[in-house]
């Protein structure tokens, strides 16, 4: 009985100390969300501007840039998965990885061999545990990604994509490097503090429809701002320095990198939101557990006291009755 | 007098936006000045280049822009850069330090790019590079 009480007390102590860890994590994650959200917002002007420049270019340059053209019989498709470095984030990684599996089986059905690129230690361990081949992993920045990180990832992917241009059925083409024909990205979109949704998108070949779609958005906005200038239906004719094609060459890789960066920022915000939620329920559970355990401990202590009293009373009774016999 | 609406946007944040009388930039093709009413233009900024914005207050704002584009439309000028710094925010000592380190690091492409960035930072800050 006494040992039981001691065991209970020990469990209460450890539950309480883990609860402290959970609530500290919750607070940290809470602070990070705010920062991450601010970074998502801060990166939007650039994304908007580069999209605008690109759509202006798209109407003038010839659209046969490798990043824009659909390849006949695409054989290999790169998939960039963005996961977190640390756990303690609830279902965040599970959801992203599940979405990835869906995309992978879809690609296989289409007869394309998926090539994995993984961001984040959790994704890395997921695939290495299952002995799945991963082309490249990038770790160490999932919570606070910088543009330099996105650049590193982007360079790798674009290099692989460029190398894939001359591949044929027999393997690597003239350049001897086995590249890829498509680029996909799977990341977690930050809708709100309560909803983060894993999404899969194709980055390359870029769909020109997409560019046009942005263009319409722009024109809608323009017509609101510069009502009266008249020529909203006619695309503005630009001067280019250097030539449109050279500009497109320089701009498209940056555009892809910008999209990777945006995805990383969204994922970082989602990761923190997910972590805060998970840590909140974990610390609530720990609280609950500690409460139940202390009730049990109180009961055990009460029972112990009762037993001691009845032993004393019993002992005294026995002494009294022994004395009466004298 | 008409003014130009200038937006200076880096990847991670919007750095500056406001009205200006003139923008001078160097594209890969050569030096270029933009006054209000300039024809629409898209240009790629020269590597390690600096952009000068003459604000309506008559001050020259010098910016070190790396990996950037210049877009002129009828609504204004936007300067897009991977990273950009306004001269008044540049820490000259740190830029010198970065330049020295990059030069010591030798010939690999990363070091050369870092050296170019440091040089343009120093130039923008009005120092010899």
């Amino acid at each position: 009985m006494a040992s039981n009480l001691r065991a209970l007390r020990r469990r209460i102590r450890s539950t309480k100390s883990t609860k402290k860890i959970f609530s500290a994590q919750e607070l940290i994650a809470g602070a990070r969300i705010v920062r991450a959200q601010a970074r998502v917002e801060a990166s939007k002007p650039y994304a908007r501007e580069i999209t605008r420049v690109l759509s202006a270019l798209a109407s003038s340059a010839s659209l046969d840039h490798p990043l824009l053209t659909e390849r006949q019989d695409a054989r290999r498709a790169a998939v960039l998965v963005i996961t977190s470095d640390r756990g303690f984030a609830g279902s965040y990684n599970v959801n992203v990885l599940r979405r990835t599996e869906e995309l992978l089986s879809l690609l296989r059905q289409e007869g394309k061999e998926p090539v994995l690129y993984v961001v984040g230690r959790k994704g890395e361990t997921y695939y290495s545990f299952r002995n799945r081949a991963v082309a490249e992993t990038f770790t160490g920045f999932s919570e606070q990604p910088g543009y330099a990180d996105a650049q590193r990832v982007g360079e790798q992917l674009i290099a692989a994509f460029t190398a894939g241009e001359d591949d044929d059925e027999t393997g690597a083409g003239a350049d001897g490097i086995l590249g890829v024909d498509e680029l996909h990205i799977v990341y977690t979109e930050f809708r709100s503090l309560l909803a983060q949704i894993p999404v899969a998108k194709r980055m390359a070949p870029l769909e020109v429809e997409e560019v046009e779609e942005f263009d319409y958005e722009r024109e809608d906005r323009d017509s609101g701002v510069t009502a009266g200038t008249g020529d909203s239906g006619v695309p503005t004719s630009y001067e280019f320095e250097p030539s449109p094609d050279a500009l497109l060459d320089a701009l498209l890789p940056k555009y892809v990198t910008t999209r990777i960066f945006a995805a990383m920022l969204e994922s970082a915000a989602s990761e923190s939101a997910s972590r805060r939620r998970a840590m909140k329920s974990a610390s609530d559970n720990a609280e609950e557990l500690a409460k139940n355990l202390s009730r049990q401990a109180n009961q055990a202590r009460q029972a112990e006291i009762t037993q001691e009293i009845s032993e004393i009373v019993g002992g005294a009774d026995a002494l009294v009755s022994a004395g009466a016999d004298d | 007098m008409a003014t130009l609406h200038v937006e200076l946007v880096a990847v991670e944040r919007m750095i500056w936006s406001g009205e200006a009388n003139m923008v001078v930039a160097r594209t890969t093709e050569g030096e270029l000045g933009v006054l209000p009413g300039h024809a629409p233009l898209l240009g790629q900024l020269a590597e390690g280049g600096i952009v000068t914005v003459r604000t309506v207050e008559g001050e020259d704002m010098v910016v070190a822009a790396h990996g950037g584009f210049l877009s002129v439309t009828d609504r204004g000028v936007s300067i897009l850069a991977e990273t950009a710094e306004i001269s008044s925010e540049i820490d000259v000592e740190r830029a010198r330090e970065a330049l020295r380190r990059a030069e010591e690091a030798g010939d690999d492409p990363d070091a050369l790019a870092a050296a170019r960035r440091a040089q343009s930072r120093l130039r923008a800050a009005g120092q010899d590079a």
Side-chain angles (χ1 to χ4, degrees):
Chain A
M1 205 63 197
S3 66
N4 188 12
L5 184 59
R6 225 175 8 246
L8 280 170
R9 290 218 168 108
R10 198 161 54 225
R11 279 194 65 191
I12 294 170
R13 252 202 320 276
S14 76
T15 313
K16 278 191 174 149
S17 70
T18 32
K19 189 198 159 224
K20 274 182 201 152
I21 297 174
F22 294 148
S23 39
Q25 292 268 12
E26 184 192 334
L27 287 176
I28 296 169
R32 287 230 165 108
I33 302 175
V34 179
R35 263 214 309 271
Q37 267 181 301
R39 292 188 70 197
V40 171
E41 278 309 310
S43 72
K44 279 193 178 147
Y46 184 86
R48 200 181 55 224
E49 286 297 321
I50 200 166
T51 312
R52 205 155 71 191
V53 171
L54 200 61
S55 31
L57 258 178
S59 50
S60 312
S62 58
L63 292 173
D64 57 359
H65 189 277
L67 276 168
L68 292 175
T69 36
E70 190 88 24
R71 288 183 193 165
Q72 296 297 314
D73 58 335
R75 265 175 304 276
R76 283 156 61 87
V79 179
L80 176 69
V81 194
I82 301 183
T83 63
S84 72
D85 279 328
R86 294 190 306 130
F88 281 59
S91 54
Y92 171 76
N93 288 307
V94 181
N95 286 339
V96 147
L97 291 168
R98 194 184 299 139
R99 187 74 192 80
T100 311
E101 293 299 336
E102 282 169 26
L103 175 66
L104 294 188
S105 57
L106 183 76
L107 287 173
R108 283 201 196 92
Q109 269 172 26
E110 288 172 3
K112 295 168 198 157
E113 181 196 342
V115 184
L116 280 165
Y117 289 79
V118 182
V119 173
R121 218 163 282 136
K122 284 286 146 188
E124 185 185 6
T125 44
Y126 177 87
Y127 292 110
S128 65
F129 181 71
R130 284 162 184 76
N131 281 325
R132 304 256 291 272
V134 169
E136 194 79 47
T137 57
F138 311 88
T139 57
F141 53 80
S142 84
E143 270 177 288
Q144 283 146 321
Y147 186 67
D149 300 316
Q151 257 177 329
R152 223 169 61 227
V153 177
E155 270 167 26
Q156 286 265 353
L157 285 175
I158 291 166
F161 187 79
T162 319
E165 208 181 351
D166 55 358
D167 292 357
D168 49 30
E169 308 89 63
T170 52
D175 58 0
I177 307 165
L178 202 56
V180 295
D181 304 305
E182 283 179 8
L183 299 180
H184 296 261
I185 184 167
V186 185
Y187 68 99
T188 312
E189 204 175 82
F190 184 90
R191 293 265 168 86
S192 72
L193 282 173
L194 293 173
Q196 293 93 40
I197 297 143
V199 288
K201 283 189 179 157
R202 193 171 83 165
M203 286 192 295
L206 286 167
E207 282 139 24
V208 183
E209 293 88 71
E210 195 176 14
V211 176
E212 278 171 2
E213 178 190 320
F214 277 117
D215 208 315
Y216 291 138
E217 261 175 44
R218 181 188 72 137
E219 262 160 26
D220 287 344
R221 234 185 8 255
D222 280 7
S223 59
V225 181
T226 59
T229 43
D231 60 353
S232 63
V234 187
T236 335
S237 59
Y238 280 89
E239 286 172 24
F240 297 98
E241 278 189 40
S243 70
D245 290 337
L247 264 177
L248 204 59
D249 262 352
L251 200 68
L252 279 174
K254 286 199 172 46
Y255 181 66
V256 171
T257 312
T258 312
R259 286 186 60 177
I260 295 175
F261 183 56
M264 282 179 173
L265 286 179
E266 290 247 348
S267 294
S270 306
E271 179 189 337
S272 292
S274 231
R275 175 165 298 134
R276 194 182 72 159
R277 213 168 45 238
M279 288 302 107
K280 169 122 181 59
S281 60
S283 60
D284 287 352
N285 286 344
E287 173 96 45
E288 183 76 30
L289 188 62
K291 209 154 76 192
N292 284 337
L293 283 174
S294 41
R295 285 208 184 106
Q296 277 179 38
N298 288 345
Q299 245 169 28
R301 195 191 53 180
Q302 208 62 59
E304 205 172 297
I305 293 168
T306 314
Q307 193 180 0
E308 273 170 20
I309 289 176
S310 66
E311 273 165 12
I312 291 167
V313 171
D317 275 353
L319 279 179
V320 169
S321 58
D325 285 347
D326 289 342
Chain B
M1 186 187 144
T3 55
L4 283 166
H5 181 70
V6 179
E7 286 188 354
L8 174 62
V9 193
V11 175
E12 306 213 7
R13 67 197 171 101
M14 163 93 82
I15 290 183
W16 188 82
S17 100
E19 300 298 318
N21 289 326
M22 182 168 80
V23 175
V24 178
R26 203 166 83 221
T27 68
T28 48
E29 307 287 287
E31 195 97 0
L32 168 89
V34 181
L35 291 168
H38 195 284
L41 170 118
L42 282 179
Q44 187 184 4
L45 295 178
E47 200 52 52
I50 58 175
V51 178
T52 311
V53 179
R54 182 160 300 158
T55 60
V56 276
E57 289 84 33
E59 287 165 38
D60 276 356
M61 188 178 74
V62 185
V63 181
H66 316 294
F69 294 91
L70 175 81
S71 139
V72 184
T73 61
D74 48 2
R75 287 177 305 137
V77 179
S78 32
I79 300 151
L80 292 162
E82 285 183 338
T83 56
E85 286 160 290
I86 297 178
S87 60
S88 54
E89 290 175 1
I90 292 173
D91 185 335
V92 176
E93 286 307 309
R94 264 187 57 197
R96 270 194 204 292
E97 178 66 17
L99 179 61
R100 199 180 50 74
R101 261 205 319 276
E103 277 170 351
E104 276 171 11
D107 283 346
D108 72 284
D110 283 355
L112 288 176
R116 266 203 305 277
R117 278 201 301 277
Q119 273 167 355
S120 81
R121 276 214 294 274
L122 285 171
R123 267 204 301 278
Q127 304 279 328
D128 298 330

